[in-house]
């Protein structure tokens, strides 16, 4: 698998430091850059786990009808026009007319047959050939099908039974709630346990047999039966389970089952709250669920981060504050793996795809006992050049527990070297605005720093062929190289947290911003100049997992 | 009625007569003008706070929807496509592992809850009150995580917690009953009298959906047949399938396949005892002590341990539960070769297959990843008797810790006040996903009858199996006290009630609305929401207040030592704000140090609010 990098969203947690990268739970707080948002007010990254979402409009994904919110509820979040899903394969159903009748009959309604087709219309699935006539659903008109079905839905047995149950309990609850107020969680009421409010109101009465037994009620005991019946009239079901559908039939059906597909899958019948036949041939067409256009807000300052255009057909946004426009995009590559893949592509044309994939994986593997260089390509989305500084995130002082220490020891089995000096990334511009002169100018401007970085590397990385520093620089992309050294006994994934801080020129100098403690490194970045600002964020770099098997023949030439 | 004049029982008969709801004609006048659905909900605006959101979060399947509707809007696997459960009955023992486990759970729950509001219901959480349908034994830490996500991340205005058993009873139109919830992880029975859940009498057993799945898997590994896809298309023609058939490789039986088998083709057959199993079993090896062929129940439970051991998830529960299971462990270690276990199970299989008329099913399955060489998909042949008899594992008990589904009901009945026994016995309600198996409820009824009546028969003939206990000679008549109740046993939602033996039974058996067992709790929640009741409500202000307070209490302790905590990890919130019955025995205002040990987890001490 290819090495990858993900960005950290602190999600309003108190500590700005990311969790250690090796925990399974950590993967939930790192996200690909294209999933992140950026709040300008808070100057912080936001993700889909922490933004608050509001619905700005409902529409049907099939007919793109914008459903007014007033009717969304009554239509149960489903399209109330002609959009249906096949119950078997979830494909969209089409309305088809019946076959034209014989010539003799066709004289009866010539107009209808020419424009729309013959009256009994039904729904038909183009994928699995299911049609609604199988379950006895046909329509007189080819439009407003859902409205025609609505009356079946309204008179569904569960809805009727539900209303009846409500009527049954309502007077009882009204009577009892008048005597005692509903308890709340914090009250001094004795019954602060999760009995329903109905229960607690029932508790207010004295019921013979349990609880508040007192001699006064004893006097009533003689005719308790009659009195009791008055209090709790037994609910009489509209449709009793014993008569609704016989369980025997289901058992017999299953006993003589021939194929699995005769029985509807669990997912096809689990929303039914009313007992319904098991067999797949009884499934009804489904109205297509509506979808919503969502606007997203920053969880702390409530500013809008994403606001889509209202029209269902439009895919544009009125407001779109995505992190990709603010943070440099980083791409990780392992040059040795790429070289190996290139070579494999050239040499082995004949091997099967599966084998090739396997070889590629083997070629890109990180083998214990070697050191590899990796490239980080920074792409600047800003219109000003930025200075980027990298640091390997050091986990803040941890409690010296036994297993924590062990984990740390395990984690630091590999060593990472990153370019320590700041390096520049050019400003973003349209493609045609870059030319050779610009690039040359960049080199002139920043050449010193490149040399400096190289020189620094020369001191600590003496004797090694690979460099830790800038590899390539063009347009708004700078590629730097780092190095990972894997000892022989290392295990697991090469995964580390990296702190990226960059300095950019701020358009609007706002001193109040500095007071806000978003990230720790911002304050010392402010010293550089009045209009330069610093932003830093955490990432996790995943270079792949370490292979234990020694495979010298593949790596020797790299 | 043939009542023995024992003093407590006489009371029971008398008292319960008054409390038992008898059929009345009072309600019948309302039938005609039952109002149509929409007019009654019309006054609710789309974002009115009157419509509440009903969340029924199970360990695997979640049901969500709006109150006032007879049907959930959405049902989904919470643990992802594979249907893994979000939590299990176990927790990691090391504190560090447990913390990590909780963080993963929190991340998953957050994803689920956010998707409920944003994708399933398409509504704004900030204006929606929530009714959380909670299982009485829902672990407190999970409840706390859910509340934290709902209040902090989604900012719902309030959460009400309502007991699933009670809500299900509400959906059945009753206020009194004995509710059995047979879910994925465990089955639990809660007696409820007149809206009051009698929590101290709650009884549970781990025999539920998860156990059934492992049992099906174990049975298929032994008795199923797998035909791998032919290696070439011509081979399909030439080589008969019979020669290609093999035993089932373990990789074929993924959780998804097992789940499909369980939910689509399994059912529950009638008990076999009427056939007189001791006669039919005589050809088997009768001298085997551990697996007496005359006792199908016993050997079946043996086998279920085998199956449990195959599935590593459950092995820890069984290991060392008793010396008895150690014996069975050693047996199953050599299951392939060991004669006794093999033959015992084989005997069982032959007996079941002889009595089963269910058809064998050929099911197309994906071949295991190691054998992806063939053409197309493999075929799994599931014997008919497995389809019919896999659920036997739920009905045979005899284990102290794992009583059968019927026994757990009877145990509860033994625990409840004598006065209530008759009433409760005649209003048993069965809910949960596992009773969706066709034939489950009628079988449960039969098992109840058998368990109660059996010991009396066997006391005369000592050789007959006593399923109440393993002690053979001195017949421990566990359910003797319940025997007079025999004619009163009635399951409210029994789709095929037996001919009623008493007025009570005939008034109750199969008389409730035909809601599916799996949906009962949700429908009850919806009903409670529509009636504007529904449990103790916790407002967000209260939560924020309590949380702020707890932050003050432990200002330095909670944030710095958890630097690595990341996203959701929090300062421990004020958990006492969440109502839970396990905390109820204490008088309100008692010092928090006196919390019951079961409920106590490492938490900062917070004043009991109020």
């Amino acid at each position: 698998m290819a090495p990858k990098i993900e960005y950290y969203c602190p999600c309003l947690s108190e500590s700005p430091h990311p969790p250690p990268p090796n925990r399974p739970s950590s993967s939930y707080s790192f996200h690909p850059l294209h999933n992140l948002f950026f709040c300008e007010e808070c100057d912080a990254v936001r993700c889909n786990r922490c933004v608050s979402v509001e619905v700005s409009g409902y529409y049907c994904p099939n007919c793109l009808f914008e459903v007014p919110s007033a009717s969304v509820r009554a239509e149960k979040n489903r399209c109330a026009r002609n959009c249906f899903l096949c119950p078997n394969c979830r494909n969209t159903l089409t309305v088809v007319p019946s076959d034209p009748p014989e010539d003799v009959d066709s004289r009866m309604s010539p107009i209808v047959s020419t424009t729309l087709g013959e009256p009994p219309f039904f729904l038909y699935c183009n994928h699995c050939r299911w049609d609604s006539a199988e379950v006895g659903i046909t329509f007189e008109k080819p439009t407003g099908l859902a409205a025609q079905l609505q009356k079946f839905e309204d008179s569904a047995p569960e809805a009727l039974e539900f209303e009846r149950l409500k009527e049954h309990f309502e007077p009882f609850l009204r009577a009892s709630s008048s005597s005692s107020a509903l308890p709340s969680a914090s009250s001094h009421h004795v019954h602060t346990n999760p009995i329903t409010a109905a229960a607690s109101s029932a508790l207010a009465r004295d019921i013979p047999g349990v609880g508040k037994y007192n001699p006064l009620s004893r006097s009533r005991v003689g005719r308790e039966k009659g009195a009791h019946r008055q209090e709790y009239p037994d609910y009489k079901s509209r449709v009793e389970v014993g008569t609704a559908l016989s369980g025997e039939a289901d058992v017999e059906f299953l006993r003589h089952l021939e194929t699995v597909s005769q029985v509807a899958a669990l997912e096809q019948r689990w929303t039914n709250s009313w007992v319904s036949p098991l067999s797949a041939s009884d499934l009804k067409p489904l109205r297509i669920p509506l979808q919503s256009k969502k606007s997203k807000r920053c969880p702390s300052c409530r500013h809008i981060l994403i606001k889509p255009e209202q029209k269902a057909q439009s895919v544009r946004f009125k407001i779109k504050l995505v992190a990709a426009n603010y943070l440099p995009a980083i791409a990780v590559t392992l040059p040795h793996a790429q070289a190996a893949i290139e070579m494999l592509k050239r040499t082995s044309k004949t091997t099967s795809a599966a084998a090739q994939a396997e070889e590629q994986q083997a070629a890109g593997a990180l083998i214990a006992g070697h050191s590899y260089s990796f490239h980080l390509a920074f792409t600047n989305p800003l219109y000003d050049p930025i200075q980027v500084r990298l640091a390997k995130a050091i986990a803040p002082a941890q409690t010296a527990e036994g297993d924590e220490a062990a984990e740390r020891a395990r984690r630091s089995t590999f060593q990472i070297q990153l370019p320590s000096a700041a390096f520049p990334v050019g400003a973003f511009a349209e493609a045609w605005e870059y030319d050779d002169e610009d690039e040359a100018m960049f080199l002139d401007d920043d050449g010193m720093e490149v040399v400096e970085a190289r020189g620094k590397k020369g001191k600590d990385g003496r004797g090694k062929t690979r460099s830790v520093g800038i590899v390539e620089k063009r347009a708004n992309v700078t590629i730097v190289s780092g190095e990972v050294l894997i000892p022989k006994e290392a295990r697991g994934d090469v995964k580390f947290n990296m702190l990226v801080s960059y300095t950019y020129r701020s358009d609007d100098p706002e001193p109040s911003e500095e007071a806000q403690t978003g990230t720790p490194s911002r304050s010392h970045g402010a010293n550089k100049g009045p209009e330069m600002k610093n932003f830093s964020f955490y990432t996790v770099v995943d270079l792949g997992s370490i292979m234990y098997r020694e495979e010298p023949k593949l790596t020797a030439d790299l | 009625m043939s009542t023995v004049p024992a003093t407590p029982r006489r009371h029971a008969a008398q008292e319960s007569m008054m409390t038992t709801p008898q059929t009345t004609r009072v309600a019948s006048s309302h039938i005609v003008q039952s109002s149509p659905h929409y007019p009654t909900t019309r006054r609710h605006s789309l974002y009115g706070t009157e419509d509440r959101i009903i969340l029924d979060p199970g360990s695997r399947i979640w049901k969500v929807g709006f109150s006032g509707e007879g049907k959930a809007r959405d049902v989904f696997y919470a643990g992802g496509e594979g249907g893994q459960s979000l939590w299990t009955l176990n927790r990691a023992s090391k504190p560090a592992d447990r913390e990590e486990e909780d963080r993963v759970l929190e991340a998953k729950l957050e994803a689920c809850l956010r998707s409920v509001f944003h994708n399933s219901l398409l509504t704004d959480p900030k204006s929606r009150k929530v009714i959380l349908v909670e299982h009485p034994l829902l672990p407190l830490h999970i409840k706390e995580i859910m509340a934290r996500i709902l209040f902090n991340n989604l900012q719902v205005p309030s959460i009400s917690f309502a007991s699933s058993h009670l809500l299900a009873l509400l959906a059945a139109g009753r206020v009194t009953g004995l509710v059995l919830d047979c879910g994925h992880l465990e089955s639990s029975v809660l007696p409820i009298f007149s809206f009051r859940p009698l929590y101290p009498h709650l009884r549970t057993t781990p025999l539920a959906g998860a156990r059934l799945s492992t049992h099906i898997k174990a049975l298929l590994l032994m008795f199923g047949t797998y035909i791998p896809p032919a290696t070439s298309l011509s081979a399909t023609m030439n080589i008969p399938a019979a020669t290609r058939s093999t035993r089932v490789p373990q990789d074929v039986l993924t959780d998804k396949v097992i789940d499909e088998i369980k939910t689509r083709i399994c059912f529950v057959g009638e008990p076999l005892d009427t056939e007189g199993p001791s006669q039919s079993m005589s050809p088997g090896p009768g001298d085997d002590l551990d697996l007496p062929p005359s006792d199908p129940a016993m050997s079946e439970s043996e086998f279920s341990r085998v199956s449990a051991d195959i599935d590593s998830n459950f092995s820890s529960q069984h290991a060392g539960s008793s010396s008895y299971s150690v014996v069975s462990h050693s047996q199953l270690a050599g299951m392939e070769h060991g004669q006794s276990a093999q033959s015992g199970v084989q005997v069982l299989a032959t007996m079941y297959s002889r009595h089963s008329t269910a058809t064998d099913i050929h099911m197309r399955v994906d071949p295991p990843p190691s054998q992806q060489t063939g053409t197309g998909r493999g075929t799994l042949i599931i014997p008919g008797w497995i389809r019919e008899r896999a659920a036997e594992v739920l009905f045979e008990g005899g284990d102290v810790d794992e009583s059968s589904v019927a026994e757990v009901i009877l145990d509860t009945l033994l625990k409840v006040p004598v006065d209530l026994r008759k009433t409760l016995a005649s209003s048993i309600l069965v809910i949960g996903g596992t009773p969706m198996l066709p034939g489950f409820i009628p079988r449960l009824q039969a098992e109840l009858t058998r368990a109660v009546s059996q010991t009396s028969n066997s006391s005369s003939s000592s050789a007959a199996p006593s399923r109440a206990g393993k002690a053979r000679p001195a017949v421990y008549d566990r359910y003797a006290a319940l025997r007079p109740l025999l004619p009163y046993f009635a399951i409210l939602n029994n789709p095929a009630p037996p001919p009623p033996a008493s007025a009570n039974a005939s008034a109750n058996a199969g008389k409730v609305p035909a809601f599916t067992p799996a949906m009962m709790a949700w429908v009850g929640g919806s009903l409670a929401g529509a009636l504007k009741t529904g449990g103790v409500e916790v407002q967000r202000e209260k939560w924020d207040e309590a949380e702020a307070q707890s932050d003050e209490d432990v200002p330095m302790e909670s944030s710095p030592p958890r630097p690595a905590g990341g996203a959701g990890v929090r300062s421990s919130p004020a958990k006492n704000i969440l109502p839970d019955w396990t905390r109820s025995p204490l008088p309100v205002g008692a010092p928090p140090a006196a919390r019951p040990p079961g409920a106590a987890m490492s938490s900062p001490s917070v004043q009991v609010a109020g």
Side-chain angles (χ1 to χ4, degrees), chain B residues 343-360:
Chain B
S343 64
V345 176
Q346 200 69 53
V347 161
L348 203 69
T350 46
M351 181 190 75
Y352 283 151
S353 52
R354 189 181 315 155
H355 288 288
S356 175
T357 54
T359 48
D360 295 357

Side-chain angles (χ1 to χ4, degrees), chain B residues 431-588:
Chain B
I431 61 167
T434 309
M436 296 293 282
L437 283 175
F440 182 97
I441 294 175
R443 173 66 188 269
L444 180 63
Q445 171 96 39
E447 287 292 326
L448 283 173
T449 316
R450 190 171 80 156
V452 173
S453 57
Q454 198 174 31
T455 330
S456 62
N457 304 337
S458 66
S459 57
S460 55
S461 62
S462 59
S466 93
R467 60 187 342 284
K470 282 163 217 139
R472 232 169 290 149
V475 179
Y476 167 47
D477 202 352
R478 199 163 150 205
Y479 301 120
L482 298 177
R483 199 155 305 127
L485 291 177
L486 200 51
Y488 297 100
F489 278 108
I491 297 180
L492 289 175
N493 55 347
N494 191 347
S502 68
N504 266 12
S506 71
N508 287 323
K511 294 293 185 207
V512 296
F515 290 115
T516 59
M519 271 296 175
M520 277 246 173
W522 188 91
V523 172
S526 169
L527 190 61
L531 294 168
K532 302 192 182 54
T533 66
V536 187
E537 202 169 325
V538 182
Q539 307 282 346
R540 192 167 86 227
E541 295 83 62
K542 289 267 184 273
W543 170 270
D544 290 344
E545 225 168 78
E547 206 174 35
Q549 195 184 351
S550 78
D551 279 349
E552 276 168 34
D553 283 359
V554 272
M556 280 296 102
E557 197 187 321
S558 56
S559 39
R562 287 188 181 144
V569 175
R570 60 283 126 145
S571 53
S572 241
K575 56 188 341 203
N576 282 11
I577 202 87
L578 296 183
D580 195 84
W581 67 271
T582 51
R583 299 185 180 119
S584 60
L586 282 178
V588 175

Side-chain angles (χ1 to χ4, degrees), chain A residues 126-327:
Chain A
N126 287 316
H127 179 71
C128 69
R129 301 184 169 200
W130 179 89
D131 76 71
S132 69
E134 284 174 23
V135 291
I137 295 179
T138 53
F139 305 92
E140 289 306 310
K141 293 182 307 222
T143 52
L145 304 186
Q148 293 181 56
L149 281 181
Q150 181 89 43
K151 45 182 181 291
F152 292 111
E153 235 169 81
D154 285 351
S155 61
E158 75 264 11
L160 297 179
E161 192 79 55
F162 188 86
E163 288 307 317
R164 208 174 130 90
L165 274 169
K166 217 166 107 181
E167 270 170 28
H168 171 74
F169 281 111
E170 222 154 31
F172 162 63
L173 284 173
R174 206 180 299 126
S176 51
S177 65
S178 59
S179 59
S180 69
L182 298 182
S184 72
S186 56
S187 73
H188 298 276
H189 209 275
V190 191
H191 313 289
T192 44
N193 43 358
I195 305 173
T196 68
S200 31
S201 54
L203 285 173
R205 327 170 135 220
D206 48 353
I207 291 122
V210 274
K212 306 173 186 168
Y213 182 79
N214 57 12
L216 283 174
S217 70
R218 185 77 180 150
S219 60
R220 292 191 297 163
V221 162
R223 290 268 26 99
E224 195 59 58
K225 280 184 206 169
H228 180 70
R229 252 181 240 172
Q230 293 299 319
E231 281 185 48
Y232 295 139
D234 206 11
Y235 177 69
K236 187 90 170 50
S237 308
R238 195 179 149 272
V239 179
E240 287 167 359
V241 68
T243 55
L245 194 87
S246 166
E248 307 275 336
D250 278 345
V251 172
E252 280 309 304
F253 169 64
L254 278 180
R255 184 166 280 156
H256 303 296
L257 195 68
E258 295 295 330
T259 60
V260 182
S261 56
Q262 280 176 279
V263 184
L266 179 65
E267 287 89 342
Q268 290 172 324
R269 54 193 155 96
W270 63 7
T271 50
N272 292 340
S273 63
W274 198 252
V275 288
S276 47
L278 287 173
S279 78
S281 56
D282 285 327
L283 293 171
K284 301 276 188 292
L286 306 160
R287 287 194 286 140
I288 286 184
L290 297 182
Q291 291 187 356
S292 64
K293 291 211 159 195
K294 301 180 181 82
S295 46
K296 299 183 176 176
R297 288 175 184 273
C298 170
S300 70
C301 68
R302 328 292 310 157
H303 276 84
I304 292 182
L305 302 177
I306 292 288
K307 190 175 173 64
E309 276 187 8
Q310 197 66 34
K311 281 171 73 73
Q313 287 90 339
S314 167
V315 291
R316 283 200 295 269
F317 294 91
K318 281 181 185 154
I319 298 172
K320 188 175 76 172
L321 300 175
V322 293
N325 291 341
Y326 294 86
L327 308 184

Side-chain angles (χ1 to χ4, degrees), chain B residues 1-26:
Chain B
M1 267 158 247
S2 63
T3 45
V4 189
T7 348
R9 258 227 347 107
R10 195 164 47 80
H11 269 287
Q14 202 175 41
E15 295 279 355
S16 56
M17 267 316 217
M18 330 171 184
T19 52
T20 310
Q22 300 282 346
T23 24
T24 56
R25 296 287 152 213
V26 180

